């Protein structure tokens, strides 16, 4: 049974990155991802890569663990790279077989896109590795706040997001147990019969409903009533760290744009 | 059927997907190296060689003889559920092996064959019910074993009878309309329908009300009396003392004690040191013994305690009273 609980698991720490405000981190990591798209040459992409690597060093998370945290998503990178190898037809022909032609341009492009995707994934995982889930959903709620005027239920959305993230590992665990229980009753998963599938999914859904019921009762018991008039124990607040972060990302943007003009 | 654990150790770390994808070959190689190197040095595996390695089971050896009732005691997290999942090959030992009738469960086809004869009931088995009717749910196991038609119907009927449910009465109903205790019976029947020779139960009475508990324990005793081997994990010492032939006590994944209830529960102090206790009557006997009463038996239940105590208090134990107390304890 695949275990997806390791994606973006929070890595406790006390680095400057950990201490940054979640809103700033959310926005800045989006900015870094956007800058990865601004980069048009290997040279400028290398600038972004060095920057992201530097952030990991600063955060005290070993790069090995960081790479491991994106392993479950690496298939996206591989597929995109393959598509590029197959469909980008510029430069010299390296190999030709039946309808498939592989060119130097294609290979170059595949490398470029793969590198860019890895940088994107790393920037995303840096956010989730250094920020507790609750802070991310809080930041999400703050940032959606202005749209409440237009009827967007920002608080409810972020609450849903937080609950979904919180329950994901739980459901993975339960699915594993259900799977093992049904295997003990002779179910063979390699034969994808409908009965086997329902034997896994029906218990999973009944357990989800069971959790939903107890959870809503527990929230009621704690007088939860939605966003209106709700105060916070730990209000988010910007610090000089966030200002420094903005400056660093602005410099990164300038460097990346400049590097785009280098002939490489 | 004879189930033998030979120096079984298990670490969940191996199952970590990042590890598995990242460097399966490497880790396997390392583990092997470590095992052989230390085994040469000590004649057995060395623990704690890798500070990050967390062992859910360490070097556990025991045998479940045919027809035996083996109890598994241990604190939460002591490894009972992990051990239980080794019994039909759901988990494979990181080191050591599990033999069923002399054949290693690492052999996939043998593990597959054993799925029918080693019936494993998970904790809260009613959470795994899924079919629209009770009969269909119970039929899931035997159908996977390849049965159909009259034979299948007979299996379903018998399995429901064994848990004291009537196929005519509940067979056509949705399992979700039944009471909690009944749902658990149905889930139980789902495993019994595979006609296992060894019944493995993970905390079978957890979360049941007192009456349903007693009914359920009586049911398990009945199945055992019918010739089935039973392995039951529980942290209720009283249940274990009453039902088991032998008890394996786990602590932090290691076998802490293995023996008859008398052997195990005469070591009250040792059990308390690992967060367990002895049955209430036994504890009372210990305390009375410390106060100077002559209580010679190794293990007491309410009835035998009353019997031995009454003469010393100048009375006699009323047998009917004693028996009733014993049944309710
Ligand atoms: N899926 C799992 N992944 C990692 N560790 C686990 C998992 N399941 C159990 N463990 C660990 O293994 C040890 C034994 O757990 P378990 O067999 O469930 O004990 P018990 O059933 O006696 O309460 C515990 O330390 C527990 O934290
Ligand atoms: Mg358990």
């Amino acid at each position: 049974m695949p275990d997806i609980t390791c994606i973006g698991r929070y890595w406790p720490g006390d680095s400057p990155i950990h201490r940054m405000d979640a809103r700033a981190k959310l926005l800045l990591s989006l900015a870094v991802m956007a800058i990865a798209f601004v980069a048009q040459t290997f040279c400028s992409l290398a600038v972004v890569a060095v920057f992201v690597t530097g952030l990991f060093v600063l955060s005290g998370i070993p790069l090995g663990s960081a790479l491991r945290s994106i392993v479950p998503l690496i298939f996206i990178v591989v597929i995109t790279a393959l598509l590029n190898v197959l469909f980008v037809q510029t430069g010299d022909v390296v190999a030709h077989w039946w309808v498939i032609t592989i060119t130097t341009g294609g290979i170059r492009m595949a490398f470029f896109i793969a590198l860019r995707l890895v940088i994107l994934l790393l920037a995303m995982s840096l956010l989730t590795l250094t920020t507790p889930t609750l802070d991310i959903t809080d930041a999400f709620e703050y940032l959606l706040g202005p749209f409440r005027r237009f009827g967007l239920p920002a608080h409810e959305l972020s609450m849903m997001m937080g609950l979904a993230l919180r329950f994901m590992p739980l459901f993975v665990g339960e699915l594993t147990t259900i799977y093992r229980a049904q295997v003990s009753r002779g179910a063979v998963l390699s034969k994808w019969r409908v009965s086997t599938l329902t034997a896994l999914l029906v218990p999973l859904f009944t357990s989800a409903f069971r959790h939903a019921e107890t959870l809503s009762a527990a929230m009621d018991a704690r007088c939860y009533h939605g966003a209106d008039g709700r105060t916070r124990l730990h209000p988010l607040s910007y610090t000089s760290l966030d200002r420094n972060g903005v400056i660093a990302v602005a410099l990164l943007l300038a460097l990346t744009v400049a590097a785009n003009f280098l002939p490489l | 059927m004879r189930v033998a654990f030979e120096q079984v150790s298990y670490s969940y770390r191996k199952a970590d997907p990042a590890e598995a994808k990242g460097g399966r070959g490497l880790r396997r190689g390392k583990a092997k190296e470590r095992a052989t190197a230390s085994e040469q040095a000590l004649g057995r595996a060395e623990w704690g060689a890798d500070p990050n390695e967390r062992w859910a089971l360490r070097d556990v050896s025991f045998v479940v003889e045919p027809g035996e009732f083996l109890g598994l005691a241990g604190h939460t997290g002591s490894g009972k559920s992990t051990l239980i999942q080794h019994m039909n090959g759901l988990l494979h030992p990181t080191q050591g092996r599990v033999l069923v009738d002399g054949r290693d469960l690492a052999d996939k086809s043998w593990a597959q064959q054993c799925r029918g004869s080693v019936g494993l009931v998970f904790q809260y088995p009613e959470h795994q019910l899924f079919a629209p009717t009770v009969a269909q749910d119970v039929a899931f196991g035997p159908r996977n074993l390849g049965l159909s038609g009259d034979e299948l119907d007979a299996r379903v009927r018998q399995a429901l009878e064994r848990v004291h449910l009537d196929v005519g009465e509940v067979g056509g109903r949705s399992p979700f309309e039944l009471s909690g205790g009944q749902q658990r019976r149905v889930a139980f029947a789902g495993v019994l329908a595979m006609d296992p020779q060894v019944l493995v139960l993970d905390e079978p009475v957890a979360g049941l009300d007192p009456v349903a508990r007693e009914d359920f324990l009586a049911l398990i005793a009945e199945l055992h009396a019918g010739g089935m081997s039973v392995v039951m994990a529980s942290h209720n010492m009283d249940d274990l003392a009453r039902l088991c032939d032998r008890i394996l006590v786990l602590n932090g994944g290691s076998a802490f004690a293995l023996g008859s209830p008398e052997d195990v529960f005469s070591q009250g102090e040792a059990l308390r040191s690992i967060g367990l206790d002895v049955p209430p009557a036994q504890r009372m006997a210990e305390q009375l013994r410390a106060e100077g009463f002559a209580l010679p038996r190794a293990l007491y239940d309410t009835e035998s305690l009353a019997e031995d105590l009454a003469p010393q208090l100048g009375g006699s134990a009323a047998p009917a009273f004693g028996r009733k107390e014993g049944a309710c304890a």
Side-chain angles (χ1 to χ4, degrees), chain B residues 75-82 84-85 123 202-203 233 235:
Chain B
H75 206 261
T76 307
S78 59
K80 302 184 295 293
S81 302
T82 307
I84 273 180
Q85 291 177 50
Q123 198 170 0
D202 195 353
E203 312 217 5
H235 42 227

Side-chain angles (χ1 to χ4, degrees), chain B residues 89-328:
Chain B
L90 286 176
L91 296 178
H92 294 290
T94 311
Q95 286 171 24
R97 42 184 206 161
V98 180
L99 306 175
V100 173
D101 275 350
R103 277 178 70 182
D104 196 337
L105 276 186
D107 176 356
K108 281 243 168 66
S109 63
W110 181 235
Q112 190 66 39
Q113 265 174 272
C114 289
R115 292 275 149 80
S117 35
V118 179
L120 202 163
V121 182
F122 276 70
Q123 198 170 0
Y124 299 114
E126 63 274 23
H127 291 176
Q128 280 116 39
L129 296 174
F130 67 95
T133 69
V134 167
Q136 284 177 37
D137 206 293
V138 174
F140 182 67
R143 188 168 290 169
N144 284 329
L145 294 181
L147 300 187
S148 59
D150 289 344
E151 211 180 344
L152 185 65
D153 293 341
R155 277 280 184 99
V156 171
R157 201 185 57 245
Q158 282 162 8
L160 283 170
E161 266 168 21
R162 286 166 103 175
V163 297
H164 307 307
L165 290 174
D166 180 46
V167 71
E169 204 179 304
V170 297
R173 291 173 63 187
S174 159
F176 298 105
E177 324 174 331
L178 304 176
S179 74
Q182 280 178 318
Q183 284 189 4
R184 191 166 297 188
R185 278 165 195 268
V186 171
F188 225 75
V191 172
L192 291 176
M194 303 182 50
D195 207 9
Q197 297 170 40
V198 184
L199 190 59
V200 184
L201 310 163
D202 195 353
E203 312 217 5
V205 294
L208 290 180
D209 60 74
V211 176
R213 254 181 86 82
E214 281 311 313
D215 288 353
F216 231 85
L217 289 171
L219 189 93
I220 294 167
E222 210 176 287
L223 290 168
H224 176 238
M228 225 179 254
S229 320
V230 179
V231 177
M232 178 171 92
S234 169
H235 42 227
N236 186 314
M237 299 301 140
D238 203 34
D239 298 347
L240 290 174
R242 271 193 291 158
L243 293 169
C244 299
D245 299 323
R246 283 194 308 156
I247 297 173
L248 171 65
V249 184
L250 290 174
N251 179 35
S254 314
F256 180 82
L258 173 62
S260 64
E262 287 81 8
D263 293 343
V264 170
F265 290 126
S266 53
Q267 323 165 22
E269 272 318 306
L271 286 179
R272 275 186 284 275
S273 76
I274 61 164
L276 294 179
D277 208 342
V278 297
Q282 173 76 356
R283 193 171 57 227
M284 187 164 180
E286 278 176 19
Q287 287 163 351
L288 290 172
R289 201 179 285 139
E291 296 294 328
F293 284 88
L295 296 169
R297 300 188 211 196
L299 178 62
Y300 278 97
D301 58 14
T302 317
E303 200 177 334
S304 58
L305 184 59
E307 235 166 62
D308 281 10
L309 215 49
Q312 299 180 51
L313 296 173
S316 71
F321 171 76
R323 204 165 302 133
K324 200 165 152 225
E325 280 294 283
C328 295

Side-chain angles (χ1 to χ4, degrees), chain A residues 68 180 182-183 185-186 210, chain B residues 18 85 115 128 137 144:
Chain A
R68 222 180 282 149
R180 289 190 182 150
Q182 308 300 24
V183 165
R185 293 170 73 187
R210 205 168 43 238
Chain B
Q85 291 177 50
R115 292 275 149 80
Q128 280 116 39
D137 206 293
N144 284 329

